[in-house]
Amino acid sequence: MAATGACVFHGVLFSAFRRDRTSFNGTFKSSPIAIHNAPRFAAVPTTSMDQVASSSSPEETASTSSVGDLFGNARFDKTYKYATTAIVGVGAENGTRFNSGSEDTEVRRSLNDYFEQSVELIRSDNGPPRWFSPLESGSRIDNSPLLLFLPGIDGVGLGLIKHHQRLGKIFDVWCLHIPVRDRTPFTELLKLVEKTVKDEHRRSPKKPIYVAGESLGACLALSVAARNPHIDIILILSNPATSFSKSPLQPVVSLLEFMPESLQVSLPYILNLLKGDASRLSLAGVGDILQRIVSELSQDLGAVSSNLSVLADILPVETLIWKLNMLKSASADSNSRLHAIKAQTLILCSGRDQLLPSMEEGGRLRQFLPKCEIRRFSNNGHFLFLEDGLDLATTIRGASFYRRSQYLDYVSDFIPPSPAEVRKIFEEFSLVNFATSPVLLSTLEDGRIVRGLAGIPEEGPVLFVGYHMLLGLELAPMVGQFFTEKNIILRGMAHPLMFIKMKEGRLPDLASYDSFRMMGAVPVTAKNFYKLLSTKSHVLLYPGGMREALHRKGEAYKLFWPEQSEFIRMAARFGAKIVPFGVVGEDDISEVVFDYEDQMKIPLFKKQIEELTSEAVRLRAHMNGEVANQDVHFPGIIPKLPGRFYYYFGKPFETEGRKEELRNREKAHELYLQVKGEVENCLAYLTNKRESDPYRQLWPRLAYQAKHGFTAEVPTFEI
């Protein structure tokens, strides 16, 4: 089976061209507990909360700032609305073509909403900790897994307020609310969450349970997972406070504990100082520590200033001291259990977290946790879930962490991206599109060649088979154009190294490939190929795989296909149309000057190639010849002033009704050679025709767009 080996270094290579440089990403059958004056929330029926009595006994000391833990060095936005086009997906049963539907207006929540809804939750706020489910999270797909949210030291449970609506489409969302005056110790909170997890596991033993936590909640989530290694738990952790011992804010706890009550500093007073010069802040020796807290505050100071009284109600000083002490206990407990954790874990780290060394801690935790991945957000502060720059539902899916059963099914668990998600993905590659001004040609049923994708079959299954350009440079423009023009998602059969590493080393981080997974890429296996065709998908396959995408000097536009057919009989089994295509333009954007053969002659580079190859899953190891030579390496290239990319999709080969005929190996091989020959014809056609394109070079295109507008389609050769 072939793979889109293009993606090996594609994400890393194109990062230089991206506009955004940010790193990257059950029902309980028992009596309900009412949450008064909270019309936006639904109480989750459960008796497990009733078994936990409020406790007033103090815990061991802990620390971190309430102000920082509510806002962080944030990028908060105002409340706004934007229209998203609803997509009617033919989906996992009927393929991957989508039709634009009615306009659906989504309200993006803001920091103000957090405060407003916090007021509703803490009003008449008595009783023990309990779960609630946001009403805006009530419209979800079938068989959605449960997601439990464990809050930070604020305890309100609204930390995911900006994500409720999108998460609610794919999860059954429950949020833990800890009343302001509640003094339930960490050990009892741990039992509470653990009982909920166990109850859900008994009801749905074959479904995963997601536990998302921030700061303190992340420590709680880790401890729950460690105590229940037999349960399928998936952890989503934001800036976990397991690194609390390294926090620069620890002195705050001691100061608050030993400071006379008459001199204690209230949070509203601290925040009011922001209206003046924060650099002049010096309060009873707190000085530099509080300045660090101040620097962690949101850019939306208006929202903070107008809600100081709410902030004071959420975290009065005595509650702050209690929560900080609990944080120290939680950090110690979770760190002592790391060796027992078997859960799949996704850690979200902020680069500007001034309360905890989150980036460093993410790397440390990955060494202890066996199934752990990290997504980094360089421009965000401590309170990642409340800030701009993160869509949690998108991050979970892009990391391939979303599944609805014991094992991830890349076909049935795939959730098509929304138009907004697609726009964001391809905005990152807009410079590539602009620089290469792609020309896409297709063939109509009568044999006429037209510009655009009018000749592409709309109903699946359809199999696109073609030439893999150097480093897969053709992928982003092609996949984007298919979605824009035809509402088709190309499900690429991709090299497994996009999904898993055999070990950590020199290969690009898996986060580099999140965009490709969001757009439907799957690991290349016969099973996934079968499932995609059976669901009438539009499948993208490169028989030349990595050998073609990492070709040597002088091998541009040369096919490296296996000698024997790999896909014909599978396509015929489902009556798939096979569309051959060619793409040229790599030689107008770069030149290979230091290839595999050159590198293998130098011991240092040879060793690097061996290390890279050992990190990746080996494909076609049983084969002989050039196609089996898929050592992972990065060819040395010299960039050129960008030329133009040309794509030509030939007339489809029909396999409908030929299932029995193509079971014969000779007949199948005959069709295989015809498809290969047509791909070579497409390459020859484009190589010849581009010579007559007056806009092949960058400067004529820029001149044309300067005159007609930069969104104008640039003409090409006469078809």
Side-chain angles (χ1 to χ4, degrees):
M1 191 63 63
T4 52
C7 299
V8 177
F9 299 102
H10 187 278
V12 178
L13 179 69
F14 273 175
S15 64
F17 296 97
R18 288 176 176 168
R19 296 175 61 186
D20 182 7
R21 301 295 183 90
T22 302
S23 298
F24 341 94
N25 36 333
T27 302
F28 285 80
K29 298 180 180 178
S30 53
S31 58
I33 295 176
I35 298 181
H36 300 290
N37 303 315
R40 294 184 180 89
F41 314 109
V44 175
T46 173
T47 55
S48 61
M49 299 300 108
D50 296 329
Q51 299 170 0
V52 181
S54 297
S55 171
S56 58
S57 60
E59 291 227 343
E60 297 294 324
T61 58
S63 180
T64 191
S65 166
S66 61
V67 176
D69 224 16
L70 278 174
F71 308 105
N73 186 10
R75 300 192 299 162
F76 297 108
D77 62 349
K78 304 289 192 280
T79 300
Y80 64 93
K81 297 181 179 180
Y82 63 92
T84 58
T85 304
I87 296 183
V88 181
V90 183
E93 295 184 357
N94 299 310
T96 46
R97 188 173 67 85
F98 302 90
N99 300 313
S100 298
S102 57
E103 292 296 310
D104 179 31
T105 301
E106 178 182 332
V107 178
R108 293 286 285 169
R109 299 297 182 182
S110 69
L111 189 58
N112 270 321
D113 293 300
Y114 169 84
F115 283 119
E116 290 174 6
Q117 295 190 23
S118 293
V119 171
E120 296 179 0
L121 274 176
I122 65 178
R123 187 182 297 149
S124 301
D125 195 10
N126 297 314
R130 51 200 181 267
W131 300 103
F132 68 88
S133 182
L135 294 180
E136 57 190 335
S137 300
S139 176
R140 55 184 176 272
I141 60 178
D142 293 338
N143 202 34
S144 297
L146 176 66
L147 184 147
L148 302 175
F149 172 64
L150 309 180
I153 66 168
D154 66 298
V156 177
L158 290 173
L160 294 181
I161 189 169
K162 297 187 69 172
H163 310 275
H164 284 166
Q165 189 166 345
R166 291 197 178 186
L167 287 174
K169 295 177 181 178
I170 59 176
F171 290 107
D172 183 6
V173 180
W174 293 10
C175 304
L176 182 63
H177 172 65
I178 304 173
V180 173
R181 304 296 175 183
D182 180 78
R183 295 297 181 261
T184 301
F186 176 79
T187 53
E188 295 304 310
L189 285 177
L190 178 57
K191 293 177 182 177
L192 182 154
V193 177
E194 183 178 45
K195 186 179 189 306
T196 304
V197 168
K198 288 181 176 179
D199 288 345
E200 176 64 15
H201 177 65
R202 280 194 294 270
R203 264 173 280 274
S204 303
K206 295 185 178 181
K207 290 174 61 176
I209 300 171
Y210 286 74
V211 184
E214 61 176 351
S215 188
L216 170 63
C219 293
L220 182 56
L222 285 166
S223 294
V224 170
R227 287 162 59 106
N228 299 275
H230 62 288
I231 297 180
D232 186 8
I233 296 175
I234 299 177
L235 300 177
I236 311 295
L237 310 178
S238 172
N239 298 323
T242 46
S243 61
F244 178 70
S245 62
K246 300 178 181 178
S247 173
L249 301 179
Q250 290 200 70
V252 172
V253 179
S254 299
L255 285 169
L256 289 175
E257 285 183 325
F258 293 104
M259 186 181 295
E261 189 172 325
S262 59
L263 296 178
Q264 283 183 347
V265 181
S266 67
L267 293 179
Y269 180 64
I270 295 172
L271 290 174
N272 268 319
L273 293 175
L274 291 177
K275 297 177 182 178
D277 184 0
S279 65
R280 295 163 59 185
L281 182 62
S282 180
L283 299 171
V286 181
D288 293 340
I289 300 298
L290 290 183
Q291 289 186 46
R292 186 180 294 272
I293 296 174
V294 169
S295 66
E296 227 359 72
L297 291 175
S298 166
Q299 296 173 2
D300 187 4
L301 296 180
V304 177
S305 300
S306 61
N307 289 282
L308 295 181
S309 61
V310 180
L311 180 58
D313 291 339
I314 293 173
L315 278 174
V317 173
E318 61 273 16
T319 298
L320 172 61
I321 295 174
W322 168 263
K323 292 290 183 66
L324 293 177
N325 286 327
M326 183 191 293
L327 183 58
K328 186 174 183 178
S329 299
S331 176
D333 187 270
S334 56
N335 274 304
S336 69
R337 300 177 187 271
L338 291 178
H339 66 281
I341 296 176
K342 308 298 182 185
Q344 187 179 2
T345 307
L346 179 63
I347 301 179
L348 312 179
C349 302
S350 294
R352 295 184 178 179
D353 186 347
Q354 297 191 44
L355 304 184
L356 296 169
S358 294
M359 286 287 196
E360 176 186 338
E361 181 65 4
R364 185 185 77 91
L365 290 175
R366 183 160 63 177
Q367 295 177 354
F368 286 97
L369 305 179
K371 295 181 284 186
C372 178
E373 289 190 33
I374 297 177
R375 295 298 180 269
R376 298 176 175 85
F377 299 83
S378 300
N379 296 324
N380 289 85
H382 184 71
F383 299 96
L384 185 58
F385 290 149
L386 282 173
E387 299 182 25
D388 294 343
L390 169 70
D391 186 317
L392 185 56
T394 300
T395 301
I396 292 172
R397 287 155 49 216
S400 293
F401 265 64
Y402 184 75
R403 54 185 169 89
R404 288 170 279 184
S405 59
Q406 288 179 301
Y407 303 101
L408 174 62
D409 187 321
Y410 288 97
V411 178
S412 63
D413 285 328
F414 175 64
I415 306 296
S418 69
E421 289 171 327
V422 173
R423 284 195 297 271
K424 184 175 181 180
I425 289 172
F426 289 104
E427 279 176 1
E428 296 179 357
F429 301 105
S430 59
L431 185 58
V432 178
N433 277 338
F434 176 77
T436 60
S437 187
V439 175
L440 283 80
L441 309 175
S442 61
T443 308
L444 301 179
E445 291 185 3
D446 60 6
R448 287 188 297 122
I449 301 173
V450 295
R451 185 169 185 179
L453 301 176
I456 298 300
E458 296 188 349
E459 299 299 328
V462 181
L463 176 61
F464 297 89
V465 183
Y467 169 71
H468 215 354
M469 188 185 282
L470 180 67
L471 301 178
L473 298 174
E474 83 280 2
L475 276 173
M478 180 173 67
V479 174
Q481 190 63 28
F482 264 78
F483 188 89
T484 301
E485 186 175 337
K486 302 289 287 186
N487 293 320
I488 289 174
I489 290 181
L490 288 178
R491 304 298 304 274
M493 302 294 293
H495 197 287
L497 63 77
M498 288 178 55
F499 303 86
I500 187 173
K501 288 184 179 182
M502 302 301 292
K503 61 181 180 180
E504 289 298 321
R506 297 176 176 271
L507 280 178
D509 193 271
L510 293 178
S512 304
Y513 309 117
D514 284 2
S515 296
F516 298 99
R517 291 192 289 265
M518 275 294 295
M519 291 303 298
V522 305
V524 57
T525 66
K527 184 177 181 180
N528 285 336
F529 190 37
Y530 176 95
K531 287 182 177 180
L532 287 173
L533 292 178
S534 68
T535 54
K536 300 183 179 180
S537 301
H538 289 69
V539 184
L540 176 61
L541 184 68
Y542 291 104
M546 188 183 296
R547 176 61 181 86
E548 215 163 76
L550 302 179
H551 63 67
R552 324 305 191 224
K553 290 181 288 188
E555 293 181 347
Y557 313 130
K558 181 179 179 180
L559 300 185
F560 291 92
W561 288 22
E563 294 182 3
Q564 300 299 320
S565 166
E566 290 185 317
F567 57 84
I568 295 295
R569 288 191 293 174
M570 185 76 81
R573 180 170 185 171
F574 297 99
K577 300 178 179 66
I578 302 175
V579 179
F581 72 93
V583 52
V584 303
E586 65 177 69
D587 52 344
D588 279 347
I589 196 172
S590 63
E591 180 183 356
V592 178
V593 295
F594 190 50
D595 64 11
Y596 174 81
E597 305 296 345
D598 297 328
Q599 295 178 34
M600 290 297 286
K601 295 175 183 177
I602 302 175
L604 176 62
F605 288 97
K606 181 180 180 180
K607 182 179 179 181
Q608 290 180 353
I609 291 174
E610 291 172 350
E611 291 175 353
L612 285 170
T613 303
S614 69
E615 296 170 27
V617 175
R618 188 81 176 187
L619 293 178
R620 290 170 166 164
H622 62 286
M623 291 186 175
N624 297 316
E626 282 296 318
V627 74
N629 185 7
Q630 296 197 19
D631 286 349
V632 183
H633 69 289
F634 193 92
I637 61 175
I638 295 178
K640 297 180 179 179
L641 195 64
R644 199 169 194 182
F645 286 174
Y646 302 87
Y647 303 76
Y648 174 32
F649 297 88
K651 189 173 182 179
F653 287 87
E654 297 283 351
T655 65
E656 183 71 38
R658 301 183 64 185
K659 179 178 178 180
E660 295 300 322
E661 173 191 355
L662 293 174
R663 280 185 175 179
N664 181 283
R665 290 185 178 274
E666 291 184 0
K667 291 290 186 181
H669 187 64
E670 181 181 330
L671 180 57
Y672 176 73
L673 294 178
Q674 291 177 16
V675 173
K676 181 179 179 181
E678 190 58 31
V679 172
E680 291 173 331
N681 291 338
C682 291
L683 291 169
Y685 174 86
L686 292 175
T687 303
N688 177 59
K689 293 292 289 185
R690 68 174 176 173
E691 297 295 334
S692 60
D693 184 0
Y695 300 100
R696 178 179 173 182
Q697 303 304 323
L698 178 63
W699 299 121
R701 296 199 301 272
L702 290 177
Y704 181 90
Q705 291 179 316
K707 181 178 181 181
H708 297 87
F710 284 93
T711 59
E713 182 179 71
V714 179
T716 185
F717 52 76
E718 184 177 348
I719 300 174

